[in-house]
Amino acid sequence: HMHRRNIQTPCTKILGRPRHEPGVVWLQCKSEVRMARDLHQFKPSEGRSKAEDIANMLSQAITTQHLLYASLGSAEYMEFVLKNPFNVPQTVTIHNDDPELSVITNTEEWRYFKALTRTPTALEENMFHLEEGAPGPRVYLRPKESIHIPLKYQSFLCDHTMALQAKVCRKKGSVHGPKHKSSSVKHSGGNVTFRAEDGKPMAICQVNVEPTPHVVDQTFRLYHPELCFLKKAIRLPPWHDPTGCTCYPSNVLLVPGEPQDVYLKVPGSPSPHIKMFFVMVFTDKWMAAPSQIWQVYVHFLERVDISCVTGQRSCQSLVLRGKQAVRKVKCFSSHPREIEVDPAGVFVLPPAAVQELQLKMQPWQAGSRFLYVNAVDVEQQRLVTAWLLCLNVHRPVLSKAFEVCVPVGGGRGSSRKITYTNPYTSSRTFLLRSDHPDLLQFKEDKFQIGGGESYTIGLRFALSQSPGSAEILVYVNNLEEKTEETFCVKVNYS
């Protein structure tokens, strides 16, 4: 048998703390006189029995309303005053219909939130009795005894239906607005029902929540092939707090003083779907408020694998399919210097039509890289389709290698010359390209020479203020941007 508590019907009070000031606020529910008057004036509604309406009236009479201003991930603490109205002891069972609203049964956690909110009420060790399979914690009340029930509201859910443009966040259909605006829509954060030993409710605490905006400390925008799992590691800095650090929703405790990777695994979606979610980082044991909130966008794009060579133009076809309506579309690339899209301007995409796009790529760096091409409805300002270009870029075969010394400082750069011979029997026009146009310029970017003749390529190296070295590739391309020869020039700045 438990040794503790009891409740009263119309005299139930709630202890709450407004966010803007410490301490407590007492909210008084309906009195017995008010309840008797309401019952006397009561008239049953159509379609409902008198018993149902009386039960509903009695339920409202023992219900205490409490308003909370809550933001994403932050815990809001309150204490409900529960009184036993009877002259006999009662074992009260606490029922809760919302997982975001909970009873704090851990004494250490209760003490932590009381200190955090500077709530001066008494704290009692091991006040709650927990049984496996029970509908909720139980508490024992002596006749006419009153106790404080610690409650915590904390939500990790946020509906981000393009509230990004309006700079508001929605939760369960309610708009997150500034708490001082009376026009903000409120929603019920849940009911906590206190039932006596006979199973009948003695008191009900109804918590109404007005969501408020939260701060986003970092934003991550990731791109990934459609319908594939994204696996990404984000490194946290070392934590020196001995309590450590916790990440939600992973709930992994981080070791203090050591760097730690937070691993994200996100299921894929079709192109051009964008997933957005939040990751909350907590540095206190009881997760009272996030130390950081990360906003993560994952763009799922149609994947196109391309293998090419640096400095040389490659072509790739993409297919754009029309939807139900006529659209005016324009294509944009993430790297305009390396990717050109044909058609370059706005074109009309009829319903169910197929439009072929030509990509002309001329990458300048070797290795594996990701580039993006977006097809945008210019009238609706909407993304129609997006492609993720997975480039595997190889270095070209080098014809010759040169080494050049360039003095550091001074008011002028340095000039050098190298010779190129036309391998064809007829006259040809050639183009000169460099992978480091900021370090090297040509006397002429374009030249024409007869079959078998030689041409002196004039090189001018930019001025450097510090010593070092750089490797510059010089491409001799034809008019179709196909590479005829590649020279490697190693520049030593000394």
Side-chain angles (χ1 to χ4, degrees):
H1 190 62
M2 297 174 292
H3 303 284
R4 281 265 30 101
R5 354 282 63 234
N6 205 318
I7 265 187
Q8 171 165 326
T9 304
C11 298
T12 314
K13 297 179 182 178
I14 189 161
L15 180 69
R17 177 183 61 87
R19 175 174 298 205
H20 54 277
E21 63 177 277
V24 296
V25 172
W26 293 86
L27 301 179
Q28 180 71 48
C29 70
K30 293 181 179 179
S31 66
E32 291 182 1
V33 176
R34 171 74 180 275
M35 182 180 69
R37 187 188 66 196
D38 290 346
L39 288 174
H40 180 71
Q41 296 175 350
F42 163 74
K43 292 182 180 179
S45 305
E46 264 187 55
R48 291 188 306 183
S49 68
K50 186 172 182 179
E52 287 176 340
D53 281 341
I54 291 175
N56 184 50
M57 180 74 71
L58 291 172
S59 176
Q60 291 179 10
I62 62 172
T63 298
T64 301
Q65 302 280 343
H66 186 57
L67 175 63
L68 283 180
Y69 296 99
S71 64
L72 180 68
S74 294
E76 296 298 325
Y77 175 77
M78 55 190 156
E79 290 183 355
F80 184 82
V81 181
L82 179 63
K83 184 177 180 180
N84 181 5
F86 307 114
N87 294 321
V88 294
Q90 287 287 324
T91 298
V92 178
T93 304
I94 305 173
H95 297 252
N96 176 30
D97 63 1
D98 191 337
E100 296 176 344
L101 181 63
S102 60
V103 180
I104 299 177
T105 57
N106 183 289
T107 305
E108 184 183 352
E109 183 180 2
W110 187 6
R111 182 179 292 109
Y112 175 85
F113 277 100
K114 285 179 76 70
L116 185 68
T117 57
R118 290 179 281 177
T119 305
T121 54
L123 177 145
E124 187 171 344
E125 302 275 350
N126 304 318
M127 189 172 72
F128 298 98
H129 181 67
L130 305 174
E131 286 184 14
E132 188 175 352
R138 289 174 177 160
V139 64
Y140 178 81
L141 290 99
R142 302 181 185 95
K144 302 296 184 179
E145 182 184 14
S146 294
I147 60 170
H148 291 88
I149 303 294
L151 302 174
K152 179 180 70 172
Y153 178 85
Q154 189 171 27
S155 175
F156 297 105
L157 300 177
C158 185
D159 174 15
H160 1 277
T161 348
M162 283 341 236
L164 317 163
Q165 296 178 358
K167 301 297 181 185
V168 294
C169 196
R170 303 177 184 273
K171 180 183 185 304
K172 294 184 179 179
S174 300
V175 176
H176 281 229
K179 62 183 181 183
H180 59 274
K181 289 189 177 179
S182 59
S183 61
S184 297
V185 180
K186 304 174 184 63
H187 77 274
S188 174
N191 292 336
V192 180
T193 305
F194 302 88
R195 296 186 182 275
E197 293 179 7
D198 59 2
K200 295 180 179 178
M202 295 172 56
I204 300 172
C205 176
Q206 181 174 331
V207 178
N208 300 306
V209 179
E210 183 170 315
T212 59
H214 58 271
V215 174
V216 175
D217 298 280
Q218 292 192 69
T219 300
F220 298 90
R221 198 171 292 275
L222 309 174
Y223 298 87
H224 199 65
E226 63 178 344
L227 304 176
C228 296
F229 269 96
L230 166 71
K231 296 179 182 179
K232 177 71 176 178
I234 300 176
R235 172 150 294 190
L236 287 171
W239 296 92
H240 302 290
D241 189 332
T243 59
C245 169
T246 304
C247 276
Y248 183 88
S250 64
N251 288 333
V252 177
L253 185 65
L254 308 181
V255 181
E258 296 182 5
Q260 176 73 44
D261 288 331
V262 177
Y263 293 93
L264 305 180
K265 186 176 181 181
V266 184
S269 295
S271 172
H273 186 72
I274 302 173
K275 282 190 176 180
M276 192 266 277
F277 56 90
F278 295 97
V279 175
M280 281 145 274
V281 181
F282 294 85
T283 54
D284 62 299
K285 178 180 179 181
W286 299 110
M287 299 171 62
S291 172
Q292 289 189 35
I293 296 181
W294 300 343
Q295 190 172 27
V296 183
Y297 295 87
V298 183
H299 297 251
F300 291 98
L301 315 177
E302 184 179 334
R303 176 172 180 151
V304 180
D305 292 292
I306 300 172
S307 181
C308 51
V309 179
T310 62
Q312 180 168 269
R313 177 175 291 171
S314 301
C315 294
Q316 176 76 34
S317 295
L318 299 177
V319 174
L320 178 61
R321 302 185 184 278
K323 307 293 183 180
Q324 293 85 357
V326 177
R327 295 182 181 230
K328 290 184 178 180
V329 179
K330 186 175 182 180
C331 295
F332 301 87
S333 70
S334 59
H335 295 69
R337 181 174 176 260
E338 299 180 87
I339 303 177
E340 294 179 7
V341 185
D342 184 20
V346 178
F347 59 89
V348 176
L349 183 64
V354 175
Q355 173 72 45
E356 185 176 8
L357 305 176
Q358 289 292 330
L359 302 185
K360 299 176 182 178
M361 296 161 294
Q362 197 166 5
W364 301 100
Q365 296 176 358
S368 297
R369 302 171 56 206
F370 293 110
L371 289 80
Y372 319 103
V373 173
N374 298 324
V376 177
D377 184 327
V378 294
E379 291 184 333
Q380 301 293 327
Q381 296 292 304
R382 276 183 157 184
L383 191 62
V384 178
T385 306
W387 292 273
L388 176 66
L389 307 183
C390 303
L391 266 62
N392 187 13
V393 187
H394 306 278
R395 280 174 63 94
V397 177
L398 301 179
S399 304
K400 296 178 183 178
F402 303 91
E403 191 165 357
V404 176
C405 291
V406 176
V408 174
R412 302 176 59 187
S414 298
S415 299
R416 295 292 187 275
K417 295 180 180 180
I418 57 177
T419 302
Y420 174 73
T421 302
N422 181 4
Y424 301 101
T425 56
S426 58
S427 176
R428 296 292 175 98
T429 300
F430 299 96
L431 307 172
L432 293 175
R433 301 284 184 255
S434 167
D435 62 344
H436 286 81
D438 55 327
L439 301 179
L440 173 63
Q441 293 183 347
F442 303 104
K443 183 180 178 181
E444 294 178 324
D445 293 336
K446 183 178 180 181
F447 64 93
Q448 181 178 358
I449 54 175
E453 295 181 359
S454 296
Y455 174 79
T456 301
I457 300 174
L459 309 177
R460 183 165 187 81
F461 299 93
L463 182 67
S464 176
Q465 300 297 330
S466 58
S469 63
E471 238 184 38
I472 304 174
L473 296 183
V474 175
Y475 299 92
V476 181
N477 291 352
N478 60 25
L479 293 177
E480 297 178 353
E481 292 287 3
K482 300 294 183 184
T483 302
E484 300 288 345
E485 283 196 61
T486 307
F487 304 135
C488 178
V489 181
K490 184 177 181 181
V491 184
N492 297 313
Y493 298 96
S494 58

